[in-house]
Amino acid sequence: MAAVQDGPIEPEPENEIKTETSNEVLGNPGDASGGVPPTAPVAAVATEKPAAAAADSTERQTLLAVLQFLKKSKLFESEEILRREAGLLNEIGDSQGSGAGGAGLGGGGGAEPESGDASSLLSRVAGAAATAQSANATPAPAKVTPVVTGGEDQPDVNVVLAAYSQQGDPVLYPVYYSGLKRFIDSVLDCHRAELSQVFYPLFVHMYLELVYNQYEKEAKAFFDKFHGDQECYYKDDLRILSGLTKKEHMKGNETLLDFRTSKFVLRISRDSYQLLKRHLQERQNNQIWNIIQEHLYIDIFDGMPRSKGQIDSMSGSLAGEAKREANKAKVFYGLLKEPEIEVPLDDEDEEAENEEGKPKKKKPKKDSTGSKSKKQDPNAPQQSRIPLPELKDSDKLDKIMNMKEATKRVRLGPESLPSICFYTFLNAYQGLTAVDFTDDSSLVAGGFADSTVRVWSVTPKKLRGVKTAGDLSLIDKDSDDVLERIMDEKTASESKNLYGHSGPVYGISFSPDRNYLLSCSEDATVRLWSLQTFTCLVGYKGHNYPVWDTQFSPYGYYFISGGHDRVARLWATDHYQPLRIFSGHLADITCTRFHPNSNYVATGSADRTIRLWDILNGNCVRIFTGHKGPIHSLAFSPNGKFLASGATDGRVLLWDIGHGLMIGELKGHTDTVYALKFSRDGEILASGSMDNTVRLWDAIKAFDDIETDDFTAATGHITLPENSQELLLGSYMTKSTPVIHLHFTRRNLLLGAGAYNP
Amino acid sequence: MPPLQSEAALGQSYNSTASERLTKHAADDLPSGLRKEKSALLIADGMADREERKFAEVPRDSVKLMAESVGVELSDDIAAMLAEDVCYRLREAAQNSSQFMRHAKRRRLTVEDFNRALRWSNVEAVCGYGSQDALPFRPLKEGELYFVEDREINLVELALATNIPKGCAETMVRVQVSYLDGKGNVEPQGAVPTAVQSLTDDLLKYYQQVTRAILGEDQQLMKVALQDLQTNSKIAALLPYFVHVVSGVKSVSHDLEQLSRLLHMVKSLVQNPFLYLGSYIKSLVSSVMYCILEPLAASINPLNDHWTLRDYAALLLSHIFWAHGDLVGGLYHQILLSLQKVLSGSFKKLPLGFCFLTSLCVPLQAVERVLFPHLSAYWSNLQAVLDDDSVSNAQVKADGHKVYGAILVAVEKLLKMKAQSRSVPVEGSVAVRERSFPGLSPPQEPVSEPGFGIASHLLQGVAGVPAEEPVPVPLPVMYRELYAFFGDSLAVRFSTGPGIEPRASRAAPPQPPDSKKEGMGPDTTRKMPQLTASMTISPRQDSSPRNEPSLPAVQNSSAAPSRFQRSSSSSLQRSKPPPSKVAQRSAGPPREVFQKSRFPLPPAAAPFSFLIAGRQTGRRCQGRRFQTSFPQLHPPNPSAQPPRGYAHKLPVIGRMGKPVKRWVCSQYSLHLPL
């Protein structure tokens, strides 16, 4: 199907790609480097003197822009001189035109001080002879701004907005827009879907230009006239836009800033793009062309244009699709080798694993029992890539327990579905906001809107605190059962309350060794609690706004948090400041998850994208787009290869991390998916939602179906099979209880949790 | 800045309000004129597509008002700009607040969410709206005003309150295997969790004692226990347990005694002002419905007076609807539907349905919508049963008579309601209405009393607005049709009913104009012969209520209908002519009699007053009032007169003797005072 469509793809011209890449790096370095705030354009690359020969294509473009400016300013002599010196005489028109989407803004701006104002404009309208009128009409002094903002942390709002000072006859905006619409309606079907992508960003930017220039009525009319044409999945953003009618309002509006600070990314085939460009140039439609050049990043690919379905499955995020380059980095998604632990264990378990015939799915921890010579997963990162804490004796004991349990694990599949136990929080009065289970399912913790954290023991073993210092000094420290003796029987109870936060607790996570508990809250702190003393140990302050989610690394010690301030922070428990700050999301980070190998973290955001970050260098290595609503749940498959994500739109999407592709869409839920979890061996994906259901999906089938045709790896164009119904193994109602957490026990019993909501 | 009422501004489509009055002025706000020309060039003049605007707007006048309230004069321009800005800020805050809702994993946006959004945008939070309950947002008819109801709270009372509800249950986790091996469990989902929490020892002891007392032998103990259940403020945590106990009705359906005790328990729970029944009310209602509608095992034995129980249950149900109409709103329609099903079903279930219907006594609209269309269909059923004289049929037949009485009552109310809704618009003036009301409305009044929630809200409009049924059947047509079924027994009701109420309720001098009395005379005398037979038992019936002066409302009212029905059926048994014959015989008179009833008649036949009382099933203590006014009217022969009057009202069919014993029985079970 799609394989046929995109199969015969010729290798892209090398120089073409280079051009785009370098341009992008200039324009928006934050996206590429990830560790740097995205909104600090670095203009340093630009050459100081135009005479410096056009060594690379960027400089060349800069040069061309300057030349054109000179020409327009009637400085013919200078132009001649420059031209001679640069050694390019007649290449102006065509070379600029082939520059694809490369606007070369940043570089162009810094080229020559006195021409800074117009250079960006010029480069935008390269090739069009009729630019003089617009350029002359526009003093556009603000255009220099990209040059000066380098190094600042926050984008200067005024500067950002000033880009809209573009003048144009407001009356003509609807004409332009509907002209383009007519054109796109008239093109061949195969191009129409691709070109229609332009509508939304264009619409938004035109509207904002009108608002910025205080054509309030025109803006309103423009909005009313065309907002109905936009794709339905943009309706949330449109609602925000519709309220925005004053220039003053633009300054504080975050959504708007997102639009400005990041270019809207479109993927368009070369043919379609040429079509669009030709049309705009013929019509001399500078207004639209300017916007496309300045605010859009058009990622051009060679090959068949994509179908509407393909486009729809990938679009929907706040800033368009991910650039293909963004997902090219290598990700070591394999699992780390587990340390050798001598276990008195027969090999039944091992054999059972092998029957499955999926060596990749196998957990490396099984290796310990079998052959020591077993090679490491080729996709795994180096063992010491991220320093991990030493295993303590108690950890080893726990691992042994885990393995023993694993031998009793139920093999799941479409024919043998897991049993489901549901932990209902009663009398929570709408206040339950987060739940977590320990890995061995012995404790459950809940975060509440009344700022409390409560821990329950779900086994007969009650929770006990450690004795006071005075009492501790009395016990015999050499006795065998010292660990038992330090516990204070008088404090034994089924549940403990932890007080310390001053706002609703939105995220909660147990440490793997069950000694600690993390909680994050609206009060902008993350707190670390001891489950020995049931007291708060540390309050991590770094976020400036509510923290929506936090999670411990699967190896402990590290943890990740993300919140309203749009950055995710990586912490170590013994550092009061974050080790890494992952910045790049355009809206709140709503959920955070560690990769099973602890080398990566995934963050889901209200900008409707998922990003995967490399802990080692802080880079963003994957950007997944396709959700149509804020993402509220993430889950890695146990083999580390796949990621599942759930959003407010009720859909669950599956991603192949290695290839950076969407590989599945699970439709069925009717409300926000708040919980996702793979079974211990990754056969089943369980999803829980606000619609009071738990659904089980056949994960193996979902991944196998897609693995058969890996054409997509080359292009990134996917056609999702419409097989949600086949993959759905079961849908289970709760008792009017929204499902906010799911957990598989070590024996593959599925535990759900939620607050009874009468 | 005056606090803006947040909820109004957010979710709702009408104009946002401040806690002071904001008027609706969207139209004045913007230069209007919506043109949808195709030409895009013509958009230069401002237009606001009001149809497209679905979000809140704060009108300029509101801003001015608010400014004035703090002593600032604003020009129009500034006010307009401020208004627009306020709208924008409100929407922004609303959008921000939705994030807090989503992360709290809730579906409902709360004031707290909104306040958090405000706080994080460095705006002062709005205090005073933190209530969990929805704030009623009300329009004021005169002058388009909208406001949030803000009742004054007596702080002194609150502070000195001794009965602070305690026992807010501790949050806890309960686990339950929902699905074994992915196979669904059969028990219906969404049910009330059976055990909600661990209880303190005190509560546990209380629970055990109370249930033991209520279900035990000792009457006195039971009363005390029920009384406590009704007033105890600390038993919220036990509610699920009690509900669970009540839901055991099915297991004791053979034991009327136990059933009625369980119903008493329901009543106590419902009346306890400290309990929030929430979703438990559904379980309670279904238990009560079970007692009303299901063929109880106890009803097999003719000696068991299951009717009493059903009556009581029905009244209890109507009480629940009244007291907790907000919780059971959806149920009401469901019940009507099930009633309809019963009606169209076999006779076997019929009596139950009707008993229920009349005792619920409120849904006159329902009577028209549900009962009237189906009347002819089951009439034949009923007729067959009533005509069958065989011994084996005796039991069913007795039931049939009850149904007959019940239908009659329902139909009568329906007709009166229609008559009233007709007469009012015709006569127009307030004075007339005032006059016509008391005369016509004895059965009407109970329903428009706040006591019977749903119906009252349905019917309150009756005086001014004609009833809202989809296809209103014209009154005369309906009457004629009904008359075909009921014959004189229907006519009699209308001939006599109107006269009494004014005296009873207004305590007017109890001297009816003679002429009227005489006018009524022929009617009564004409019917007299048919009623002689019932004279023997009626005195006893009549005396029974007097012996129990003060009963709780529900009890009292529940007693009344059953008494009436019983007597009616007993009289039925003695009068010979079958209904159809009656209908034919007196096709003429009822019409004119009914004519009378459509207009306010001066009080007429006093003796009938008790009957009215008896039928006013829903009215609190009303029966008692009629009763006491009675002797004044007829000083010479108080003991003899009432029975005669009562007897007058008895339906004219029925041939079978009725065991008096049963009546005694019912009295006993009904009037266990709490």
Side-chain angles (χ1 to χ4, degrees):
Chain A
M1 313 168 296
V4 182
Q5 229 177 57
D6 288 55
I9 292 172
E10 300 125 60
E12 293 176 71
E14 203 54 38
N15 58 345
E16 203 49 63
I17 293 174
K18 243 184 208 159
T19 310
E20 288 167 27
T21 318
S22 54
N23 279 343
E24 189 42 37
V25 169
L26 280 177
N28 206 344
D31 273 359
S33 64
V36 188
T39 50
V42 181
V45 193
T47 47
E48 205 44 59
K49 291 182 180 169
D56 62 37
S57 58
T58 314
E59 284 169 353
R60 190 181 142 106
Q61 266 193 335
T62 311
L63 194 64
L64 287 170
V66 175
L67 279 173
Q68 208 145 32
F69 174 78
L70 293 175
K71 189 175 176 184
K72 227 140 273 150
S73 318
K74 310 245 159 40
L75 302 167
F76 294 116
E77 282 183 17
S78 334
E79 190 196 356
E80 272 306 306
I81 296 165
L82 182 56
R83 202 169 276 240
R84 233 177 288 128
E85 281 187 17
L88 32 98
L89 284 170
N90 290 317
E91 296 181 43
I92 306 170
D94 42 56
S95 67
Q96 280 263 335
S98 69
L105 254 189
E112 205 173 291
E114 91 265 26
S115 68
D117 57 346
S119 63
S120 56
L121 254 184
L122 288 170
S123 66
R124 267 191 272 122
V125 295
T131 44
Q133 154 206 0
S134 99
N136 290 340
T138 316
K143 278 294 174 321
V144 280
T145 49
V147 187
V148 289
T149 53
E152 278 184 28
D153 235 18
Q154 288 290 316
D156 182 341
V157 177
N158 285 319
V159 165
V160 165
L161 291 179
Y164 280 127
S165 62
Q166 178 89 35
Q167 297 295 313
D169 188 347
V171 176
L172 289 177
Y173 274 56
V175 180
Y176 290 145
Y177 188 87
S178 42
L180 184 70
K181 205 171 131 188
R182 265 198 307 281
F183 162 70
I184 291 181
D185 281 345
S186 71
V187 299
L188 284 175
D189 284 355
C190 62
H191 298 298
R192 189 182 304 146
E194 289 212 310
L195 293 182
S196 298
Q197 297 177 82
V198 175
F199 281 139
Y200 174 66
L202 208 57
F203 169 78
V204 174
H205 284 291
M206 287 174 90
Y207 177 73
L208 291 179
E209 274 192 17
L210 286 172
V211 171
Y212 184 81
N213 293 313
Q214 292 176 311
Y215 299 112
E216 199 177 317
K217 287 164 190 165
E218 287 84 350
K220 212 171 270 176
F222 183 78
F223 189 90
D224 290 342
K225 191 160 186 220
F226 297 113
H227 79 105
D229 301 342
Q230 311 306 327
E231 299 285 353
C232 57
Y233 38 77
Y234 291 121
K235 67 174 191 303
D236 288 347
D237 292 340
L238 287 179
R239 200 177 306 135
I240 294 171
L241 269 187
S242 70
L244 187 106
T245 51
K246 293 237 182 295
K247 185 180 176 184
E248 291 76 28
H249 295 158
M250 293 174 82
K251 283 178 190 160
N253 194 304
E254 290 164 350
T255 313
L256 179 82
L257 274 183
D258 295 337
F259 245 98
R260 285 297 303 116
T261 53
S262 62
K263 288 190 173 189
F264 198 93
V265 181
L266 304 172
R267 284 192 202 172
I268 293 185
S269 71
R270 185 170 301 283
D271 292 349
S272 304
Y273 177 71
Q274 296 292 1
L275 212 59
L276 176 69
K277 198 167 87 176
R278 207 175 312 132
H279 166 77
L280 292 176
Q281 287 175 359
E282 275 168 16
R283 296 293 180 86
Q284 307 186 353
N285 200 338
N286 301 325
Q287 206 75 38
I288 288 181
W289 187 242
N290 289 352
I291 291 177
I292 289 180
Q293 293 282 26
E294 194 175 345
H295 299 304
L296 271 54
Y297 178 92
I298 299 186
D299 192 358
I300 296 170
F301 62 87
D302 292 285
M304 291 276 288
R306 292 189 294 170
S307 70
K308 173 99 174 108
Q310 284 176 318
I311 293 169
D312 280 350
S313 64
M314 296 291 285
S315 48
S317 98
L318 198 62
E321 296 179 48
K323 291 163 206 153
R324 278 170 303 159
E325 291 75 36
N327 288 338
K328 289 276 189 260
K330 164 107 176 123
V331 174
F332 303 102
Y333 56 80
L335 301 182
L336 296 177
K337 222 168 123 183
E338 292 291 305
E340 310 291 338
I341 303 172
E342 287 305 322
V343 191
L345 198 68
D346 49 342
D347 282 1
E348 275 173 36
D349 163 55
E350 185 67 31
E351 284 156 23
E353 285 295 313
N354 286 336
E355 274 168 31
E356 209 179 293
K358 303 181 78 56
K360 274 182 182 173
K361 289 221 179 290
K362 234 169 68 60
K363 297 191 131 193
K365 66 170 76 117
K366 302 292 167 336
D367 294 1
S368 52
T369 55
S371 52
K372 292 182 179 181
S373 60
K374 213 160 226 174
K375 278 179 77 181
Q376 209 194 349
D377 188 338
N379 290 310
Q382 275 190 325
Q383 204 72 14
S384 58
R385 189 165 180 264
I386 302 292
L388 293 172
E390 290 284 310
L391 279 185
K392 294 182 298 231
D393 285 350
S394 59
D395 298 332
K396 288 178 181 162
L397 276 176
D398 195 50
K399 286 214 180 294
I400 293 171
M401 278 301 296
N402 189 2
M403 273 182 275
K404 281 184 177 166
E405 292 273 308
T407 60
K408 297 169 187 164
R409 184 178 296 163
V410 180
R411 295 281 311 283
L412 298 179
E415 274 72 47
S416 57
L417 294 175
S419 300
I420 307 175
C421 272
F422 204 87
Y423 284 84
T424 311
F425 285 70
L426 298 166
N427 308 315
Y429 306 109
Q430 294 258 321
L432 182 71
T433 44
V435 178
D436 195 31
F437 287 96
T438 53
D439 187 65
D440 67 351
S441 316
S442 63
L443 303 177
V444 57
F448 290 86
D450 62 2
S451 315
T452 60
V453 177
R454 288 157 205 247
V455 186
W456 283 268
S457 166
V458 296
T459 62
K461 201 176 150 196
K462 295 199 167 176
L463 299 174
R464 292 169 303 177
V466 174
K467 287 176 180 167
T468 58
D471 291 343
L472 282 177
S473 61
L474 299 177
I475 60 173
D476 174 13
K477 290 176 188 66
D478 298 328
S479 68
D480 288 341
D481 59 346
V482 65
L483 287 179
E484 190 61 28
R485 289 190 184 198
I486 58 171
M487 291 304 182
D488 188 353
E489 274 309 319
K490 277 178 291 197
T491 62
S493 67
E494 261 178 37
S495 79
K496 297 276 185 194
N497 291 0
L498 306 175
Y499 301 106
H501 280 296
S502 61
V505 179
Y506 291 121
I508 204 164
S509 175
F510 280 106
S511 72
D513 60 5
R514 295 188 297 283
N515 284 327
Y516 304 105
L517 177 69
L518 272 177
S519 62
C520 64
S521 159
E522 192 238 15
D523 63 13
T525 64
V526 179
R527 281 178 185 271
L528 182 73
W529 308 84
S530 163
L531 297 181
Q532 302 293 337
T533 59
F534 295 100
T535 52
C536 183
L537 301 177
V538 195
Y540 299 95
K541 295 177 183 176
H543 286 281
N544 302 317
Y545 285 98
V547 189
W548 298 131
D549 201 6
T550 185
Q551 201 206 8
F552 253 115
S553 145
Y555 295 88
Y557 186 62
Y558 299 108
F559 65 91
I560 178 85
S561 66
H564 184 64
D565 55 7
R566 302 166 183 213
V567 293
R569 286 171 160 82
L570 179 82
W571 311 73
T573 48
D574 55 2
H575 287 63
Y576 67 91
Q577 281 182 326
L579 307 179
R580 295 282 184 278
I581 293 182
F582 305 113
S583 143
H585 275 297
L586 301 173
D588 300 31
I589 289 177
T590 50
C591 54
T592 54
R593 280 294 170 274
F594 257 95
H595 190 275
N597 68 19
S598 202
N599 278 251
Y600 298 91
V601 291
T603 55
S605 162
D607 67 9
R608 309 189 283 274
T609 65
I610 299 154
R611 282 171 188 251
L612 191 71
W613 309 87
D614 189 338
I615 285 180
L616 183 68
N617 50 24
N619 285 344
C620 174
V621 289
R622 289 288 180 271
I623 303 176
F624 296 132
T625 63
H627 272 298
K628 318 289 191 237
I631 289 139
H632 275 272
S633 53
L634 289 170
F636 282 97
S637 69
N639 61 8
K641 223 177 148 189
F642 304 106
L643 178 68
S645 59
T648 54
D649 57 9
R651 299 184 316 148
V652 174
L653 296 183
L654 303 174
W655 311 89
D656 181 323
I657 295 169
H659 297 110
L661 290 176
M662 185 197 296
I663 52 170
E665 178 186 22
L666 307 175
K667 287 190 219 169
H669 283 296
T670 56
D671 209 331
T672 308
V673 179
Y674 275 119
L676 282 172
K677 194 80 179 183
F678 282 94
S679 65
R680 291 281 170 158
D681 293 325
E683 315 98 329
I684 301 266
L685 172 65
S687 60
S689 155
M690 275 294 267
D691 64 11
N692 299 351
T693 60
V694 174
R695 285 170 205 254
L696 301 179
W697 312 87
D698 190 338
I700 291 181
K701 190 160 185 272
F703 296 141
D704 277 357
D705 280 2
I706 222 74
E707 277 171 327
T708 50
D709 48 294
D710 57 356
F711 70 92
T712 45
T715 58
H717 305 156
I718 44 111
T719 305
L720 291 175
E722 272 289 337
N723 57 354
S724 290
Q725 284 314 306
E726 297 163 34
L727 297 176
L728 180 62
L729 299 178
S731 175
Y732 303 98
M733 291 287 290
T734 65
K735 294 178 188 257
S736 13
T737 307
V739 185
I740 65 170
H741 191 75
L742 289 170
H743 178 77
F744 276 96
T745 67
R746 288 170 175 176
R747 299 188 191 184
N748 265 342
L749 173 68
L750 178 57
L751 307 180
Y756 177 61
N757 192 1
Chain B
M1 179 173 154
L4 283 164
Q5 209 323 64
S6 48
E7 282 141 334
L10 313 183
Q12 302 168 8
S13 56
Y14 39 69
N15 279 14
S16 109
T17 66
S19 37
E20 51 239 73
R21 301 152 206 155
L22 299 189
T23 47
K24 196 174 183 180
H25 265 302
D28 301 350
D29 230 6
L30 296 153
S32 61
L34 166 64
R35 291 180 214 165
K36 285 195 171 169
E37 280 97 346
K38 286 292 160 206
S39 159
L41 289 168
L42 282 175
I43 51 164
D45 56 335
M47 52 186 70
D49 191 345
R50 259 171 286 127
E51 287 144 32
E52 293 287 337
R53 293 187 159 245
K54 297 191 181 92
F55 44 87
E57 271 180 32
V58 179
R60 184 173 49 187
D61 291 7
S62 309
V63 174
K64 279 175 124 177
L65 264 176
M66 281 185 255
E68 274 170 29
S69 73
V70 291
V72 182
E73 278 287 320
L74 288 185
S75 75
D76 273 7
D77 293 347
I78 294 174
M81 279 178 74
L82 272 178
E84 247 181 293
D85 196 61
V86 166
C87 289
Y88 173 77
R89 303 289 167 202
L90 271 177
R91 298 185 65 198
E92 200 180 31
Q95 272 147 5
N96 290 341
S97 63
S98 71
Q99 267 199 325
F100 290 92
M101 173 191 75
R102 278 207 301 272
H103 283 284
K105 296 169 175 98
R106 266 186 281 112
R107 283 195 194 85
R108 185 181 298 161
L109 188 71
T110 63
V111 177
E112 206 173 323
D113 292 328
F114 194 78
N115 274 341
R116 285 187 202 291
L118 289 181
R119 210 172 309 136
W120 283 110
S121 4
N122 290 325
V123 179
E124 249 178 77
V126 180
C127 295
Y129 293 94
S131 161
Q132 290 289 320
D133 308 325
L135 292 165
F137 186 72
R138 298 194 190 289
L140 195 70
K141 275 176 196 137
E142 306 87 22
E144 294 188 14
L145 278 180
Y146 299 85
F147 60 93
V148 174
E149 196 165 79
D150 196 5
R151 292 218 186 87
E152 281 183 15
I153 294 171
N154 188 344
L155 284 178
V156 177
E157 204 172 86
L158 204 66
L160 301 179
T162 48
N163 44 12
I164 296 161
K166 254 194 253 164
C168 260
E170 184 70 1
T171 306
M172 65 166 303
V173 183
R174 190 175 59 91
V175 70
Q176 145 220 9
V177 178
S178 305
Y179 296 93
L180 262 182
D181 295 333
K183 309 288 188 306
N185 53 2
V186 278
E187 75 180 87
Q189 299 299 308
V192 175
T194 44
V196 164
Q197 57 177 349
S198 57
L199 296 167
T200 62
D201 288 347
D202 290 350
L203 281 174
L204 203 61
K205 226 175 272 171
Y206 176 86
Y207 167 74
Q208 285 166 349
Q209 297 288 346
V210 164
T211 44
R212 213 172 285 157
I214 292 177
L215 299 176
E217 292 300 308
D218 191 337
Q219 294 285 337
Q220 198 55 40
L221 207 57
M222 183 185 80
K223 284 182 214 164
V224 173
L226 287 172
Q227 185 61 38
D228 190 67
L229 207 54
Q230 195 174 324
T231 52
N232 199 320
S233 62
K234 295 161 192 166
I235 55 169
L238 286 171
L239 180 60
Y241 290 87
F242 286 126
V243 170
H244 184 69
V245 169
V246 169
S247 69
V249 281
K250 294 184 183 91
S251 57
V252 293
S253 77
H254 59 279
D255 190 343
L256 284 179
E257 181 74 6
Q258 294 287 341
L259 281 178
S260 65
R261 282 156 184 253
L262 288 178
L263 288 180
H264 289 323
M265 196 158 159
V266 174
K267 185 183 153 243
S268 293
L269 290 175
V270 167
Q271 293 189 335
N272 188 327
F274 305 103
L275 287 182
Y276 177 70
L277 295 176
S279 59
Y280 293 114
I281 194 109
K282 293 200 181 102
S283 173
L284 290 179
V285 165
S286 78
S287 295
V288 174
M289 288 282 283
Y290 178 85
C291 291
I292 297 172
L293 287 178
E294 290 306 312
L296 302 172
S299 60
I300 294 167
N301 183 351
L303 294 179
N304 279 336
D305 187 20
H306 62 105
W307 289 105
T308 313
L309 180 82
R310 290 176 197 275
D311 279 338
Y312 181 65
L315 276 151
L316 187 55
L317 188 64
S318 71
H319 178 71
I320 292 176
F321 274 114
W322 161 61
H324 300 276
D326 49 332
L327 297 177
V328 288
L331 277 181
Y332 178 69
H333 294 282
Q334 227 171 308
I335 289 172
L336 280 190
L337 279 183
S338 67
L339 175 65
Q340 195 160 7
K341 221 186 284 170
V342 168
L343 287 186
S344 46
S346 70
F347 174 73
K348 222 175 165 194
K349 279 203 163 183
L350 248 181
L352 319 178
F354 272 114
C355 187
F356 162 46
L357 173 74
T358 49
S359 307
L360 197 53
C361 92
V362 279
L364 288 184
Q365 258 87 356
V367 172
E368 174 159 18
R369 219 177 305 140
V370 179
L371 186 144
F372 187 63
H374 290 90
L375 196 59
S376 59
Y378 63 71
W379 183 259
S380 53
N381 263 333
L382 183 60
Q383 191 72 48
V385 171
L386 292 180
D387 286 348
D388 186 352
D389 281 336
S390 63
V391 180
S392 61
N393 192 43
Q395 178 67 28
V396 182
K397 194 164 160 183
D399 291 350
H401 286 304
K402 296 196 178 80
V403 178
Y404 179 83
I407 297 176
L408 201 57
V409 171
V411 159
E412 181 199 2
K413 279 184 195 160
L414 173 62
L415 284 176
K416 290 201 171 162
M417 180 193 77
K418 294 222 61 145
Q420 192 187 28
S421 65
R422 236 173 70 131
S423 65
V424 168
V426 170
E427 298 179 3
S429 82
V430 179
V432 171
R433 204 187 310 172
E434 268 181 0
R435 234 172 349 112
S436 71
F437 242 124
L440 273 176
S441 62
Q444 195 87 56
E445 280 203 358
V447 271
S448 59
E449 208 175 76
F452 293 91
I454 291 183
S456 72
H457 123 85
L458 272 176
L459 295 180
Q460 255 158 7
V462 162
V465 189
E468 315 159 354
E469 50 275 343
V471 188
V473 185
L475 177 64
V477 175
M478 181 185 278
Y479 183 71
R480 228 175 292 133
E481 219 168 290
L482 291 172
Y483 186 83
F485 292 123
F486 295 99
D488 271 353
S489 47
L490 184 62
V492 169
R493 289 168 172 275
F494 286 97
S495 68
T496 55
I500 306 93
E501 180 69 5
R503 209 174 313 136
S505 58
R506 288 187 182 180
Q511 292 307 323
D514 283 351
S515 62
K516 287 293 170 187
K517 204 173 191 178
E518 279 162 19
M520 295 301 286
D523 278 359
T524 51
T525 47
R526 188 162 58 76
K527 312 277 182 201
M528 276 305 285
Q530 299 164 352
L531 297 158
T532 47
S534 64
M535 290 292 283
T536 48
I537 48 164
S538 39
R540 245 181 298 163
Q541 290 179 327
D542 194 50
S543 61
S544 68
R546 289 190 202 173
N547 300 338
E548 319 146 67
S550 62
L551 293 169
V554 170
Q555 219 95 33
N556 188 12
S557 44
S558 71
S562 67
R563 236 176 281 134
F564 168 64
Q565 282 160 10
R566 197 138 301 106
S567 62
S568 67
S569 55
S570 68
S571 69
L572 288 181
Q573 293 141 12
R574 278 145 221 264
S575 38
K576 298 290 179 224
S580 55
K581 274 192 197 164
V582 176
Q584 284 155 15
R585 246 199 297 138
S586 50
R591 187 115 177 91
E592 58 174 71
V593 168
F594 185 46
Q595 288 295 334
K596 281 186 214 161
S597 74
R598 281 178 50 213
F599 296 98
L601 292 178
F608 301 137
S609 58
F610 174 60
L611 173 72
I612 301 290
R615 272 184 284 117
Q616 286 182 336
T617 51
R619 184 136 196 202
R620 295 181 168 196
C621 302
Q622 202 60 21
R624 176 65 38 212
R625 242 205 289 168
F626 289 153
Q627 195 63 37
T628 48
S629 70
F630 203 72
Q632 296 177 338
L633 292 173
H634 301 273
N637 191 3
S639 60
Q641 280 283 24
R644 194 161 59 91
Y646 191 28
H648 268 253
K649 301 307 296 176
L650 298 178
V652 282
I653 59 162
R655 283 153 290 190
M656 215 182 67
K658 178 199 161 209
V660 175
K661 195 171 139 206
R662 204 197 276 184
W663 179 82
V664 176
C665 228
S666 76
Q667 185 206 10
Y668 177 66
S669 71
L670 260 177
H671 298 131
L672 286 176
L674 294 180

